[in-house]
Each structure stands twice: as structure tokens, then as C-alpha cells.
Amino acid sequence: MTQETQAQGRSAAQDVAKDDSMLKQKAMMARHFDRLTSATERGEKVCSTFVPGNLNELIMCFDLCNNLPEVNAIQSGLRKKSGGYVMEAEKMGHSEDVCTYVKSDIGMMAKGNIAPNGKPFPKPDVLMLSYTGCFTFMKWFELLREQFGCETIMLHTPYEGDGKITDNMRSYMVKQLKEEVIPKLERVSGVKFDIDRLRENLKRSAQAEDDLVKVLQSGKNRRSPIDAYFGGIYYIGPIFGAFRGTDDAIDYYATLRKEVEARLAAGRGPVTPEGDMGEEKYRLVVEGPPNYTSFRHFWKMFYDEGAVVVASSYTKVGGVYDFGFRHDPQNPLETLADYCLGVYTNRSLPQRVDMLTDYVNEYQADGLLINSIKSCNSFSAGQLLMMREVEKRTGKPAAFVESDLVDPRYFSAANIKNRMESYFQMIDQKRPGRGFEGEAA
Amino acid sequence: MTQAEAIIERCQALYEDLNFTAAREWKAAEPGRKVVGYMPIYVPREILHAGGILPLGVVGGGDQLEVIHGDAYYQSYICRIPRSTIELGVSGRLDFVDGMLFPSICDVIRNLSGMWKLMFPDVYSRYFDVPQNYVDDIGGNYYVNELQELRDGLEEHCGIEITDEALRRSIAVYNENRRLVREVYEFRAGQPWKAPASDVYLLIRAGLVLPVEEHSQLMQDWLAAAEKDERPMRDNCRVVVTGVFCEQPPLNLIKSIELSGCYVVDDDLLLVTRWLKDDVPVEGDPMTNLAHAFLHQSESTAAKYEPDLAEKGQHLVRSVRKNGAEGVIFASPSFCDPALLDRPMLQHTLAAENIPYIAFKYAENSGQMQPIREQAGTFADSIKLWSEA
């Protein structure tokens, strides 16, 4: 990109009007944090839980306010506060080797536990330990339980080691929901469980999920109207967070879908922080979470080069909907079980390879990029083999960069940029009629 | 050389043999024999044994294996055991193994199960999940069905039948083996100068590659012989070593702890050999008995959820009290999520009980022992000089 076009981009960014969906999400998040930080004074009880295996529809049945420590860590990362929090936790004795989400959360608590709206988070009344797809979750909530001493509910989701959900897995989860989770939530909240209320929430979830899938699958178009990784993180925010099963989520996803369809009809590319993206030169599938401490910097490395992410695995970490799963109000507990069992990081490595291969093929991608995260063994262990498998199966080049979720010490911009540039050159070389493939032909 | 030393010499040869010759020879001795590998922490070896299968403990490559291929599969921030296990696989050292079990311990071993499926598609590979809910008709039912799936898978893949009667016999055989392992640990706690930690480690580790009956005999012989050996009693302090349940510390590290002035009176090495703390009933339904033993009689470790806040870390306190230990050494593999995430909570529990502790990290191929010797030595000195006792 020339200096002139960069300047035009900046100018456009200053002028760009936020889409309705962006404004709507911003207002939703602000309301959520206000609700959360005022929960104690309003007599509302708080349930902390995780994004993968988030049972928001069920939690809402008990009038509990959903707090997601992962989202709080992301907020700390985006606001450049997580680095200090992580180091605070390390000073307290937490290893430099372990998940920085956990350390950001613990460090944040040590520093006053301040929410993005500047007010302190309330103490949780219950820790809903939805143990899905990530070993660290179990230890994280044991650590929080030690701190808060509150009721902790374990919901164990078996891993799809053989790449399928068995009846044994499903019935185990349903039994836990019936005999452990629901009675304990009733006791903590003082609210009796109403299965029809759950069905209504699930119905709303499914409606929003339909629109989310349409949005994410719009990446199949050439040119893509969305960026399914950086932009995708905004798109998944409400449904992976405290809004799945609400009217807010339905409104948000309906609005978003209309906007994306309008962009598609107009032949416009994705929105970036600097306005509409320019020419689509590279179409990528990305595996792994992003880095949040240098989120925009990382994103810029893509759109400056005309690279758009057409599909990503991270946008499936809080639920995989694009292969047909929808929350089913007719089978409310079974559907919650299937949802937890099916989230991306609860899937076996062969399943993940299959998904990524399908994405590269179906989304007409130029290749696969893996952002490997130091903090997250659930994602990262095995990614080098996954990369080679997807390369082998698709014939498309793959690349590997490394960073961290919210620890700024592990974001090396120069190294990542260098690798990205080399990767784009490799794609160019491998394109039919150009470079090595062209010569061979 | 005393008889005890001769036994340990044999165990050391087994430990150093990265080609698993003993298991290969066992398999070759009769046509149709099968060998199934398993990783830490626990698999119900009784089910394999009941099918005539040799369970083979695979706990990484140690410090003698040069990892060439394995490093190409893992980023620098992932522990060492999966990369050396991959190395064992791709270098052909496990080419005689008919199946591999990957227990539920952490995300790295979990994902390794999928890697094995991709890399060795002809080998029976199973992620062995265990319940984190310990109620009989919830986690228990789930686990009984998981055990049955394992049984079915082994029967199908190995072309064998695993009967209930054979399972009961195998449970009795392993009950005996676990009793002997506990006896070895009790012997060491009682007379640690007669049972160096490295000797006990090698003796127990032999049970990962030998048929269980042979290993039980070996322990019996060693116990009888070690009792007779006269060794000088040193002015060492008594410690519990914890965190070493998956990636193994190098033998030199275990020796270094002792050389620095600490008698190891308990540890969580090779937990599979004593995972179940009491005998499993041999009467009744064997699968239910194995499941209930897991739910109610298994060791506490970082890979298991502890439902009771007040119970967190108490297994360490009990071990310290029972074995007369004066402190705890947290030895954790670098990048080990279970050990390192659990450590602060366990340390808080020990601090509340005024039990001193130190912590360090290692890798299975750590070569530099001087810092560990200095740290453990200082710990031992501080206990001897300043402890209330």
C-alpha cells in the first residue's frame, strides 16, 4: 500500500459512520456491564461461566446475570490493561507458563476488579463450571472458588475423542443437568426451574443462530462482504456472550444480516477500522484465537495487504452452527448437551482438520493461516500437524505465526509481519499461471 | 552386589531401553499376543490384562532420547512429553504396539490422541475419558459405559474376548500389585535410607513394561532383599515430592533431591501403579467395581476436579502427616497446565498448615542439576536449622 492510499484510508476511517449493528452491539455491551456492576445493589445474583459451553438460556431461567471471565480478559487486552494484570498474577505465584486469560482475570481482581465501565465487578454468587473443550477452565474456577468461596457447579462435557457424540455422552450430560446443575441453580437463585421458559429462550437462540450462520457463510462469496476473523469476533460477541436466547440477540443478528446482505449486493468488501477494505487480493482461512493486545495492529497487517479472512475456527469456539446444529426447544436439555459437546475445541483433531479443509475448499480460500497462541494448549497442541494435513489435502499453502491472547510480551509485530509477507508471496507463487505452479504447467 | 542392587540394576536396564525389548520379547514369545500402550495418569489395566494384552506404560523418552522429529510437531511453549512420545512413534520404537490409550489429563495429551489417529491410522487409538462427576448413577454410569466401549474396542481390534470372569481374575492380580506398590512406599517412608528414591522409582517403573505378575514378584523379592541391606542413615530431612505425575523427571533429578539432603518419603510419580487406593472388590460386576473404585478410592491429582473446596490440597497434608514429612517439593514440568495451575492452591493449603515448601520446574531432558541441588539443599538446611521440630 502506498503512502497516499494509507492516508486516504486514515481519512476514510475518520469519516466512516458506524454501522447500525456496531452501534447496537456497543449499546448492548454497555447495558450488560452496567447491569453486571449494579447487580448487587439491585439484588440480582451473578453467575460466572465460560464462553464455550455457555448455558445462557438456562442461566436466564434463574434470573441470574451472566458474567464471562474470558470476555473480561479480552476487554482487558483490548484496553491494554492485561499486561499489568498478568504480571500481577505472576507476582502472586502463578506460573509464567499458564493461560494468560486466567492470570489477567486474577490480576484484575487483585487490582480492584474493575469492569470496562469503570465500576467494580460484583462477586459471583455461583460459578457455573461448564467444563467444555479446555482443561484450564477446571483449574480457573477452582482458583476463583478459592477466592470467592461460592457455590461451584461442575458440568463435565466429555471430549469427542472419536469424532462423534455418543448416547452415553449425551445422557451423562443430561443427567448432570437434571440432577446437579438445575437443582443447584434453583438453590442459589431461589427461582424454580421452568422448562417452558427454557424452551422460549432456546427458540430465540435458534432464530439468532440462523442469521449468524448466514452472516458467516457470506464469506463464501467472491468478494467477501465480511472478515470472518477480526470482523467475526465482533459478530460472535452477542451470541457467545450474555445475549444468546434474548430478543436483543435476535434484533442484532437480523440487523447485521441485512447490513451484510446489502454490502454483498453492493459488491463491497468488509468493514475495517479504516473504513471499507480495498481490493480483495488474498482469501484466507484462519485457525486459532487472535491476539487482543495488538488486535488492530494485527488486523492491519491483513487489510493493508488486501487479505480477507473468509472463514475461521475461532468464530466456532462458542458454538458450531454452520453444519446444521441449532438449539432445539423441543429437546431442551439434550440440545444443551449437544451444544456443549459440539463446540470447536471439544472436537477431535481429525474433526478440526476436516473442518478447516472444508473451509479452504468451500470458501475458495488461498490457504490456511494458523495463529498459534502460547496460552491455549487446547487450540495450539497439534496445530503444526493440522497445518500439514490441511496443506496436503487442499494443495493450498499454509503458514504459522505465534502470539498470545492477552499477554503483550508475546506479540512480536516485526516477526509476524515478516512471516505474513512471505506467506502472501508464497500464495502468489502458487497461483495458477504464476510462479512455480505456472512454470510447472 | 547385593540382591536388592541386582534387582535395581535390572530395572535400570528396562528403564534405559527405549526400544522396549522386554515387551517386544513378550509379544514375540507366543503368536497372537497383543501390546497396548498407555500414557499417564491412569488407565484400568485390568481390562487389557483380562484380554491377554500386555499394558505398556509410555511416559515419554526421558533424557536419553534425541528428539529429532518430535520437535517439528510442537511449538516451543508445549511440554516435552508429547514431542518425545511422537519421536518414539515416528522412529519405529512403538511399531510393535497394537493400540495406544491417551487418558484424560490435559489438553496436550488429549490432542495427542487425535494426532496419533492421523499419524498412525492402523493403530487402535483411544482418548480415555473419565468422569469429573463422582456420583454413582451420574459419573459412575457414564464411566461404566466408557469402560464397556474400551472393552468392545479392544475386543474388536485385537480379536479377543474379555469375559467377566477374566476381569475378576485380573482385578485380583492388580489388587496384589497395588498392595505391593503401597508396601514399597511404606517401606521407604519407614526406612528411607534403605530405599533410595531413585531405586524405588526404577522398581515401580519396571511395572510399566513387565507383565504384572512378574513385577509383583520383583517387588516382593526387592522388599525382602532391601530389608536385609545395611545402608548408612543420613541426617536428611523428609520431603514429599509432588507435580511429577505426567512428564517424568530425569533420574538424575530424583537422585539430586536425595543427594542434596532430602529423603523422599512420598511422591506422585507413576500414579497408575497405585491410583486406586484400596482393593477393588472381585465379587459382583467387575466394570461397576472398577468404576466405583475410580469414583471413590482414587488418588487426588491436578487432572481431577475437586468438588469440595475444603478438601483441596488435603491429600498433600495427609501425606505429610502420615509419612512424617517435614516439607513439600513442587517439581513441575515446564508448561504443564495441570501441575502449574494447581500449584498456587496447593501451596495455600500447605501454608495454612505451616508446612514448608519449595517449587521448581524441569523437563524430562533437563541436564543441569546444580541449581536444583542448591535449591533442595537450602530447603533441607532451612528445615533442619529452623523448623519447629
Side-chain angles (χ1 to χ4, degrees):
Chain A
M1 183 182 258
T2 64
Q3 284 186 337
E4 191 180 347
T5 50
Q6 279 177 337
Q8 284 168 357
R10 279 194 295 276
S11 170
Q14 284 155 10
D15 298 339
V16 73
K18 294 229 177 201
D19 288 343
D20 283 350
S21 64
M22 294 177 189
L23 297 171
K24 193 181 271 292
Q25 181 170 172
K26 196 174 176 186
M28 286 161 70
M29 291 304 290
R31 273 204 313 278
H32 171 67
F33 282 116
D34 285 343
R35 180 188 167 199
L36 202 49
T37 52
S38 64
T40 308
E41 65 196 63
R42 290 181 297 99
E44 196 171 19
K45 292 193 172 166
V46 174
C47 172
S48 289
T49 195
F50 293 110
V51 168
N54 172 7
L55 303 176
N56 202 43
E57 299 88 347
L58 186 67
I59 290 167
M60 288 193 299
C61 289
F62 300 97
D63 299 327
L64 294 165
C65 190
N66 180 339
N67 187 16
L68 296 144
E70 291 154 290
V71 173
N72 300 340
I74 290 169
Q75 290 288 336
S76 298
L78 292 169
R79 290 179 296 124
K80 312 281 186 198
K81 289 179 178 293
S82 58
Y85 293 157
V86 168
M87 284 194 278
E88 183 67 21
E90 289 176 359
K91 273 194 280 182
M92 293 160 66
H94 294 272
S95 171
E96 62 272 27
D97 290 355
V98 301
C99 173
T100 53
Y101 270 173
V102 178
K103 289 186 287 187
S104 175
D105 191 32
I106 286 171
M108 182 178 80
M109 284 183 240
K111 293 278 192 185
N113 210 16
I114 303 301
N117 63 1
K119 297 172 187 168
F121 279 111
K123 287 182 181 175
D125 296 282
V126 59
L127 300 169
M128 178 65 241
L129 203 183
S130 192
Y131 178 44
T132 301
C134 167
F135 172 81
T136 296
F137 286 166
M138 182 161 72
K139 296 292 121 182
W140 190 346
F141 270 19
E142 282 190 2
L143 285 160
L144 295 196
R145 180 183 63 178
E146 185 189 49
Q147 183 141 349
F148 295 115
C150 62
E151 175 93 58
T152 305
I153 307 172
M154 158 64 90
L155 173 65
H156 173 210
T157 303
Y159 180 63
E160 282 192 45
D162 284 338
K164 60 185 180 198
I165 296 173
T166 65
D167 289 343
N168 187 38
M169 294 174 181
R170 187 179 290 115
S171 60
Y172 172 46
M173 292 203 65
V174 169
K175 213 160 169 48
Q176 288 180 83
L177 288 166
K178 274 185 186 166
E179 296 179 23
E180 299 262 321
V181 176
I182 290 171
K184 287 178 182 173
L185 288 173
E186 282 182 327
R187 191 172 70 230
V188 171
S189 66
V191 176
K192 188 155 176 53
F193 176 60
D194 176 357
I195 200 162
D196 290 326
R197 191 173 171 190
L198 176 60
R199 288 181 207 278
E200 288 304 312
N201 293 341
L202 292 166
K203 203 185 293 178
R204 283 191 286 270
S205 293
Q207 194 176 337
E209 286 155 8
D210 278 341
D211 284 336
L212 170 69
V213 169
K214 294 286 183 197
V215 168
L216 292 179
Q217 290 187 335
S218 70
K220 289 183 182 177
N221 292 282
R222 294 191 88 104
R223 70 177 303 181
S224 171
I226 63 160
D227 183 285
Y229 187 52
F230 299 101
I233 281 154
Y234 292 101
Y235 303 154
I236 59 176
I239 208 154
F240 283 12
F243 295 95
R244 208 181 65 219
T246 66
D247 287 328
D248 273 341
I250 292 174
D251 289 347
Y252 170 79
Y253 286 101
T255 304
L256 178 64
R257 181 177 169 180
K258 274 185 208 147
E259 285 170 3
V260 168
E261 285 171 348
R263 298 188 79 79
L264 184 62
R268 294 166 69 192
V271 184
T272 77
E274 297 183 32
D276 276 7
M277 194 175 141
E279 183 193 353
E280 177 183 290
K281 295 182 189 165
Y282 306 101
R283 296 168 61 84
L284 303 179
V285 170
V286 173
E287 147 79 7
N291 165 274
Y292 283 106
T293 52
S294 300
F295 186 79
R296 287 199 172 183
H297 191 174
F298 193 23
W299 191 354
K300 188 172 166 59
M301 290 181 200
F302 285 67
Y303 63 73
D304 275 358
E305 297 288 344
V308 60
V309 181
V310 291
S312 70
S313 57
Y314 187 62
T315 49
K316 316 296 155 37
V317 77
V320 176
Y321 300 107
D322 48 351
F323 302 115
F325 171 80
R326 296 288 182 276
H327 280 93
D328 175 10
Q330 300 309 312
N331 298 289
L333 299 184
E334 290 78 4
T335 203
L336 290 176
D338 284 357
Y339 158 73
C340 291
L341 286 159
V343 301
Y344 182 72
T345 48
N346 203 51
R347 293 177 178 231
S348 70
L349 241 69
Q351 284 177 292
R352 287 168 60 186
V353 168
D354 289 345
M355 269 179 77
L356 293 169
T357 301
D358 287 349
Y359 285 162
V360 170
N361 291 331
E362 287 182 19
Y363 287 72
Q364 304 175 68
D366 295 306
L368 171 72
L369 177 79
I370 295 179
N371 181 37
S372 187
I373 292 291
K374 174 188 172 284
S375 270
C376 187
N377 284 339
S378 178
F379 259 104
S380 300
Q383 279 178 326
L384 284 160
L385 178 64
M386 291 170 68
M387 179 178 76
R388 289 196 279 273
E389 280 291 318
V390 174
E391 260 186 327
K392 192 170 73 184
R393 294 183 194 185
T394 63
K396 301 282 174 62
F400 203 84
V401 295
E402 294 177 83
S403 65
D404 190 58
L405 291 163
V406 293
D407 189 340
R409 294 172 297 186
Y410 293 97
F411 185 82
S412 174
N415 281 340
I416 292 173
K417 194 167 194 319
N418 191 21
R419 284 205 195 178
M420 298 280 295
E421 286 170 354
S422 301
Y423 181 47
F424 295 134
Q425 285 171 15
M426 196 194 322
I427 291 172
D428 285 337
Q429 291 287 333
K430 285 201 147 199
R431 280 193 166 138
R434 294 173 69 175
F436 302 130
E437 272 193 18
E439 285 162 23
Chain B
M1 184 183 289
T2 66
Q3 192 194 351
E5 286 168 344
I7 291 170
I8 297 305
E9 189 177 64
R10 183 185 171 211
C11 294
Q12 177 136 11
L14 291 168
Y15 164 81
E16 288 171 354
D17 180 9
L18 293 170
N19 284 311
F20 305 100
T21 308
R24 285 176 186 273
E25 286 174 355
W26 178 89
K27 183 173 178 176
E30 277 184 33
R33 279 186 166 178
K34 305 287 182 188
V35 176
V36 170
Y38 62 87
M39 293 199 70
I41 303 176
Y42 168 73
V43 297
R45 295 181 295 174
E46 293 86 341
I47 296 177
L48 308 180
H49 182 266
I53 298 167
L54 177 70
L56 177 73
V58 178
V59 290
D63 58 356
Q64 295 303 307
L65 181 71
E66 189 183 2
V67 173
I68 299 164
H69 308 285
D71 279 340
Y73 290 86
Y74 287 104
Q75 304 87 317
S76 57
Y77 48 79
I78 288 176
C79 57
R80 164 108 177 169
I81 185 172
R83 61 189 80 223
S84 65
T85 304
I86 291 269
E87 186 73 29
L88 291 172
V90 296
S91 63
R93 289 176 171 90
L94 294 172
D95 59 3
F96 67 106
V97 169
D98 302 282
M100 276 291 284
L101 303 179
F102 299 87
S104 168
I105 172 168
C106 71
D107 295 332
V108 172
I109 301 299
R110 185 197 73 178
N111 287 5
L112 182 58
S113 70
M115 293 173 73
W116 216 263
K117 282 179 192 289
L118 290 167
M119 295 174 71
F120 306 102
D122 297 331
V123 173
Y124 171 75
S125 303
R126 181 173 176 83
Y127 174 71
F128 180 68
D129 215 345
V130 294
Q132 300 289 353
N133 173 295
Y134 310 122
V135 178
D136 286 352
D137 70 347
I138 304 176
N141 284 354
Y142 163 72
Y143 190 49
V144 167
N145 290 327
E146 282 296 298
L147 293 178
Q148 188 59 46
E149 281 184 26
L150 171 65
R151 184 178 177 174
D152 294 344
L154 290 169
E155 285 182 335
E156 186 185 337
H157 184 81
C158 298
I160 55 170
E161 187 186 6
I162 301 173
T163 65
D164 280 358
E165 204 41 55
L167 264 171
R168 290 188 192 99
R169 283 197 298 274
S170 297
I171 287 171
V173 169
Y174 275 95
N175 280 344
E176 171 69 5
N177 189 260
R178 282 186 287 266
R179 273 199 295 270
L180 285 161
V181 171
R182 285 194 291 271
E183 207 176 315
V184 169
Y185 268 67
E186 283 161 15
F187 175 73
R188 179 177 67 173
Q191 302 175 79
W193 59 94
K194 288 189 174 182
S198 54
D199 285 10
V200 168
Y201 175 68
L202 291 170
L203 178 68
I204 302 300
R205 180 141 172 190
L208 270 61
V209 296
L210 291 177
V212 60
E213 297 86 352
E214 194 178 340
H215 183 238
S216 292
Q217 186 61 53
L218 200 65
M219 287 192 288
Q220 275 180 333
D221 294 345
W222 182 84
L223 278 163
E227 180 63 62
K228 290 180 202 152
D229 276 4
E230 289 302 325
R231 297 189 191 221
M233 182 165 61
R234 294 197 165 84
D235 182 26
N236 283 2
C237 73
R238 299 164 63 89
V239 299
V240 172
V241 177
T242 189
V244 285
F245 47 79
C246 182
E247 182 172 319
Q248 301 295 286
L251 195 59
N252 274 339
L253 192 153
I254 299 172
K255 288 179 179 171
S256 294
I257 290 174
E258 218 154 50
L259 284 171
S260 65
C262 300
Y263 279 137
V264 178
V265 293
D266 197 12
D267 59 55
D268 57 0
L269 287 157
L270 307 172
L271 280 178
V272 66
T273 60
R274 58 193 183 287
W275 178 256
L276 303 178
K277 293 188 284 188
D278 208 345
D279 281 358
V280 181
V282 290
E283 305 299 327
D285 178 48
M287 304 293 262
T288 305
N289 291 342
L290 283 171
H292 287 185
F294 179 90
L295 296 182
H296 308 303
Q297 298 174 28
S298 56
E299 289 284 351
S300 295
T301 188
K304 273 174 70 183
Y305 176 60
E306 173 49 68
D308 180 4
L309 172 59
E311 186 54 28
K312 187 75 195 173
Q314 291 300 324
H315 66 288
L316 271 182
V317 176
R318 281 193 289 273
S319 174
V320 166
R321 305 283 186 241
K322 180 186 157 203
N323 296 298
E326 297 156 285
V328 173
I329 292 179
F330 288 90
S332 314
S334 294
F335 306 109
C336 174
D337 279 340
L340 293 168
L341 285 162
D342 224 29
R343 197 175 68 184
M345 291 180 278
L346 301 181
Q347 290 176 341
H348 295 160
T349 303
L350 295 182
E353 297 283 339
N354 291 318
I355 298 169
Y357 58 82
I358 55 165
F360 56 76
K361 292 191 293 185
Y362 67 88
E364 64 178 8
N365 62 337
S366 291
Q368 177 55 268
M369 293 301 150
Q370 191 57 27
I372 285 169
R373 204 174 294 177
E374 284 172 10
Q375 200 179 345
T378 306
F379 184 55
D381 290 346
S382 72
I383 286 173
K384 279 183 277 189
L385 290 171
W386 292 298
S387 71
E388 287 172 7

